[in-house]
Amino acid sequence: MNIITLVKYNDYNGNPTDTASDTSNDTMSDTDIIQEINDLRSQVTLLMTQVSTQQVTQPPKEAEKRHTGDTKQIKEKNNKETTTNVVAKKDAAKAATLSRKDSFYQLLVPYVGQYPKEMIRAFFDYWSELNKSGTRMRYELEKTWELPRRLATWASREKIPSKTDLGVVLKDNSPEKYKKGW
């Protein structure tokens, strides 16, 4: 004869008094889950409708052919457009640089009476030198810039040409003076 012992029978099946409340709790949980599933289904339907509507209202982009001879033509076309844009930008930058160079020259004009004309020209030639790309001048690359101070420093460092034909001899250094003693 075999004996079967049921362990925790009431935990799995519940007491006869708890069965009604357990069933209602389980039903409530199931109802919440079903409601969430229904909400998700409606959201998926809405998204699918939006995607299909966008495809109809917006024409698809022209697909570029790949791995054929046409790709070379497309690349060359893009390259030509890019090259013309770059050339136009460089021309505009050079024109802007030339106008800034002219305005720099005009800033130096009032100092011509205060400093020699040759010195002002040398100053302008040095500080208006363009960088490698031709977009900025040397003075624009400086961290700080005050034109009057730069001109004063330039003037103090300017070499004064020696005038040999003019002058006063303060001492007699003639060779006859030295021949007497020897």
Side-chain angles (χ1 to χ4, degrees), residues 36-101:
E36 277 188 58
I37 291 172
N38 288 337
D39 288 343
L40 289 173
R41 283 183 183 161
S42 65
Q43 288 178 359
V44 167
T45 306
L46 180 65
L47 289 173
M48 294 296 286
T49 307
Q50 286 178 350
V51 168
S52 63
T53 308
Q54 286 178 353
Q55 289 176 353
V56 170
T57 58
Q58 295 177 357
K61 292 182 180 178
E62 185 177 318
E64 294 182 7
K65 295 181 180 179
R66 294 181 178 248
H67 306 293
T68 63
D70 291 343
T71 56
K72 289 181 181 177
Q73 292 173 353
I74 291 170
K75 285 181 182 178
E76 288 174 3
K77 179 182 171 187
N78 290 341
N79 191 17
K80 286 179 185 176
E81 291 173 358
T82 305
T83 304
T84 55
N85 290 341
V86 168
V87 169
K89 285 182 181 180
K90 284 184 178 179
D91 289 342
K94 286 184 181 181
T97 304
L98 289 176
S99 69
R100 289 194 321 272
K101 190 173 187 176

Side-chain angles (χ1 to χ4, degrees), residues 1 3 8 10 14 19 35 45 54 57 73 79 88 106 112 116 120 137 142 158 162 181-182:
M1 176 158 156
I3 298 176
K8 295 188 177 182
N10 289 338
T19 308
Q35 183 64 36
T45 306
Q54 286 178 353
T57 58
Q73 292 173 353
N79 191 17
Q106 294 302 322
V112 172
I120 296 287
M137 290 179 278
E142 291 294 314
E158 185 78 12
S162 61
W182 294 94

Side-chain angles (χ1 to χ4, degrees), residues 115-135:
Y115 299 105
K117 194 173 187 177
E118 296 81 23
M119 188 205 84
I120 296 287
R121 186 64 194 177
F123 182 85
F124 173 75
D125 289 341
Y126 178 79
W127 287 108
S128 63
E129 181 183 3
L130 298 177
N131 64 353
K132 288 180 182 178
S133 62
T135 55

Side-chain angles (χ1 to χ4, degrees), residues 26-37:
D26 289 342
T27 306
M28 293 287 283
S29 300
D30 291 342
T31 306
D32 290 340
I33 291 172
I34 291 171
Q35 183 64 36
E36 277 188 58
I37 291 172

